[in-house]
Amino acid sequence: MLILGGTAEARALAQVLVERGYDVVSSLAGRVERPRLPVGEVHIGGFGGVDGLASWLREHEIAAMVDATHPFAARMTASAAEAGARTGVPSLVLRRPGWREEPGDSWQRVPSLEAAAGALAAPMRIFLTTGRRSLPVFTPVPGVWFLARSVDPPSAPVPDNVRVVLGRGPYTIEGERALLREHRLDTLVTKDSGGRLTMAKLAAARELGVHVIMVDRPPLPPGLRLADTVAEAAAWVPG
C-alpha cells in the first residue's frame, strides 16, 4: 500500500492498515521540518513527477494507492491520478469534508490566494493562516498588517508589516479568541482545509465578529474515487 500523506487522516489510515497486517509506505512531501511521522515505512520527498511516480509504483509492486494529501496539494493529486491510470494501480482520494458556514459567520469565498489578496484593503489587520509559502502573495498589499501563522518559519526577510507566530494544531477556541483580541485582528484569511484540528479559529472569528476570507479548494481531476473518512478509505483497500 502507498499512502500519499502529510495529513492527520493519512496517519490514521496508516495506523489502521498496519494493524491489519498491510505493508504500508507513507510518502511525505518533506516541506515541514519536523513532520509527524506515521507508523510503517516512510518515503520523504517527491517521486520526480508523473513518470517517476509511475516507475516507483511498478518497481515497488504497489497493490493500491490512497492520496490523502492536503486538499490544496493539487499538483500531487493530479500526478497521482495520472500515474495510477497509467499503471493500473487502484487509487482512491481521501479528503476530509470542507468547512461550512454557520449562523453568525461572515464569510467571503474566493477561488484563489490571489483573489484573497485582492479582497484586502487598508487599514485591515489580518490573521493569515494560508501557509508560509503564501506570504509573497499578500505582503505587497499596502497599509495592511498581518499576523501570519505557520508550522515552520517563512524564508527571510519578513516584511515589516508581518509578525510571524509559529504553531501546529490542534488549537482551542480560547487560544484563538485570545490571539484575535491581543492583536486586534479584524479579518481572517484561510484555506478551506476542513477538519477539526484548525477549525477553532472559525468559531473564535464567529464569536468576535471577525470577517473570514475563505479560499476554496482546487477542483479534483475528473473520474477519481473519493472517500470522506478514514473508515471509508480503509474499507475500500483491497483485501
Side-chain angles (χ1 to χ4, degrees):
M1 275 294 306
L2 173 64
I3 300 175
L4 304 175
T7 60
E9 290 79 15
R11 293 190 294 273
L13 180 61
Q15 182 74 45
V16 170
L17 295 181
V18 167
E19 290 176 355
R20 289 186 186 177
Y22 285 88
D23 185 6
V24 175
V25 180
S26 295
S27 172
L28 306 181
R31 294 181 177 177
V32 176
E33 292 181 4
R34 296 179 299 278
R36 291 171 175 164
L37 298 179
V39 298
E41 185 179 343
V42 176
H43 170 92
I44 295 182
F47 295 93
V50 177
D51 292 339
L53 178 55
S55 297
W56 197 94
L57 293 172
R58 295 188 186 100
E59 179 183 348
H60 291 80
E61 299 180 344
I62 297 299
M65 174 172 58
V66 176
D67 172 9
T69 55
H70 192 276
F72 282 79
R75 183 178 299 177
M76 186 68 246
T77 293
S79 294
E82 186 171 345
R86 284 189 193 179
T87 59
V89 173
S91 301
L92 176 78
V93 176
L94 171 57
R95 285 287 184 278
R96 55 184 176 254
W99 290 313
R100 294 185 177 181
E101 196 168 357
E102 297 185 13
D105 282 331
S106 171
W107 284 16
Q108 177 183 355
R109 285 194 172 271
V110 294
S112 66
L113 293 173
E114 291 74 16
L120 306 183
M124 287 180 171
R125 294 180 64 84
I126 306 295
F127 187 19
L128 186 65
T129 64
T130 54
R132 60 190 172 110
R133 295 172 184 269
S134 70
L135 270 182
V137 177
F138 292 94
T139 51
V141 181
V144 175
W145 188 86
F146 297 91
L147 181 71
R149 184 167 66 194
S150 59
V151 175
D152 295 319
S155 300
V158 175
D160 292 339
N161 63 330
V162 178
R163 178 172 176 181
V164 175
V165 58
L166 303 182
R168 189 198 301 257
Y171 302 103
T172 65
I173 296 176
E174 293 77 15
E176 301 291 64
R177 186 193 301 123
L179 202 62
L180 291 169
R181 283 176 170 161
E182 177 186 354
H183 298 281
R184 307 188 318 279
L185 302 168
D186 52 60
T187 305
L188 165 66
V189 179
T190 191
K191 296 176 179 177
D192 187 7
S193 301
R196 304 186 64 84
L197 288 180
T198 60
M199 71 181 302
K201 60 191 172 188
L202 300 176
R206 184 183 311 121
E207 287 185 14
L208 299 179
V210 170
H211 182 60
V212 176
I213 298 176
M214 182 71 68
V215 181
D216 283 332
R217 298 177 175 188
L220 289 171
L224 293 181
R225 185 186 294 267
L226 184 64
D228 290 336
T229 65
V230 171
E232 187 180 348
W236 168 85
V237 172

